[in-house]
Amino acid sequence: MISRRIQKKSILSRLLEQGLSILLRKECKTISNLKIDIVSSSTQIIKGEIQRINITAKDINYKDLLFDEVELESNQLKINFKLTNKELYFKNNPIIKFKISLSQNSLREVLLSDNWNWIGNMISKEILNREKLEDIKVKNGQFLMKASEKNKTLNETEQITIKTEKGKIYLENKSYNKTIQIPIEDKIYIRNVTIENNLINIFANSSISF
């Protein structure tokens, strides 16, 4: 017979989930459908240890980066949890595995935004031979990009493929035989990128520190 303590999540686990929820909502401009599951015994939590954390969320805006869905998992975390104000800090920079999904609309809004259009324009200059990225669509596992030159949008649409190599993401324009590496933080290692139903899915590992 399974004891009631094992069947039900402990008060400490629930408090930690609330603390982590506060932390994530503080870091993100918007986040919805946030679900946090902490797997750890009361004894481990008292020692500042968490066996496993699973997090899922939708419609995230993190520093004006838009993600339609996010799934994260991390194991063997060391924490400092302040019970009085429910603040949670990670002590050992744990490694997380995550999956990020972006729709065509989210990707376009990011790359054309004031804060991140420098990436879109860098892509345009490097692999489209144009000054400015004007539009991007996702179709049949590829990106369709339009760019402009001297404030004049060109009608040509370039087919761009995406791939991963040694933990980095690359975009390739086979027509011009040009490739560009997308800038990401060194602590992030990209394991794979797929496009399914016009949704870009990024699978990666990263250390975290809050």
Side-chain angles (χ1 to χ4, degrees):
M1 183 175 180
I2 301 175
S3 68
R4 292 177 62 86
R5 189 175 69 175
I6 296 176
Q7 284 179 317
K8 295 184 178 180
K9 189 181 293 289
S10 70
I11 294 176
L12 286 179
S13 292
R14 291 199 295 270
L15 286 173
L16 278 176
E17 290 170 356
Q18 291 175 16
L20 189 53
S21 176
I22 291 170
L23 175 64
L24 291 173
R25 294 184 188 279
K26 188 186 298 183
E27 290 287 326
C28 299
K29 288 186 176 180
T30 60
I31 186 170
S32 64
N33 293 88
L34 177 60
K35 296 179 181 179
I36 302 171
D37 181 31
I38 292 179
V39 179
S40 196
S41 68
S42 296
T43 301
Q44 289 173 316
I45 292 173
I46 291 171
K47 291 180 178 179
E49 301 174 353
I50 296 178
Q51 184 178 342
R52 185 171 73 250
I53 290 180
N54 295 299
I55 300 172
T56 60
K58 295 183 178 181
D59 302 324
I60 302 104
N61 181 330
Y62 176 70
K63 297 181 179 179
D64 292 328
L65 293 172
L66 307 181
F67 308 121
D68 291 69
E69 296 181 12
V70 172
E71 300 175 13
L72 301 96
E73 178 181 326
S74 187
N75 300 290
Q76 308 303 323
L77 301 100
K78 302 289 185 181
I79 62 166
N80 182 9
F81 181 55
K82 295 183 178 180
L83 192 59
T84 52
N85 55 9
K86 297 179 182 177
E87 287 188 353
L88 175 66
Y89 301 93
F90 296 113
K91 297 166 63 176
N92 61 334
N93 293 339
I95 300 298
I96 61 170
K97 292 181 179 180
F98 62 89
K99 172 188 174 184
I100 292 174
S101 299
L102 301 89
S103 66
Q104 172 182 283
N105 290 341
S106 295
L107 181 63
R108 180 195 293 118
E109 188 170 344
V110 169
L111 292 180
L112 300 182
S113 69
D114 291 338
N115 286 342
W116 297 101
N117 62 10
W118 63 272
I119 295 180
N121 293 338
M122 180 181 67
I123 292 170
S124 181
K125 291 173 184 176
E126 291 293 326
I127 64 175
L128 302 178
N129 292 337
R130 298 289 184 264
E131 287 183 352
K132 184 179 179 182
L133 183 69
E134 294 290 347
D135 192 23
I136 180 169
K137 295 181 179 179
V138 181
K139 186 177 181 180
N140 298 328
Q142 293 183 321
F143 298 125
L144 303 180
M145 294 186 180
K146 283 188 177 182
S148 64
E149 185 75 17
K150 296 180 180 179
N151 297 321
K152 182 179 179 181
T153 301
L154 305 177
N155 291 325
E156 295 91 342
T157 299
E158 297 289 343
Q159 294 185 355
I160 307 299
T161 58
I162 187 170
K163 63 180 182 179
T164 59
E165 185 177 326
K166 296 181 180 179
K168 303 298 182 182
I169 296 178
Y170 295 88
L171 297 180
E172 181 180 12
N173 185 342
K174 295 182 178 179
S175 297
Y176 295 156
N177 194 28
K178 289 191 173 184
T179 302
I180 183 173
Q181 177 184 318
I182 301 302
I184 58 174
E185 294 184 65
D186 290 337
K187 66 181 181 180
I188 299 175
Y189 184 92
I190 306 299
R191 293 182 283 117
N192 193 21
V193 177
T194 64
I195 299 178
E196 297 178 357
N197 299 320
N198 291 337
L199 198 67
I200 306 108
N201 301 302
I202 301 172
F203 302 84
N205 300 338
S206 176
S207 62
I208 55 174
S209 55
F210 290 123

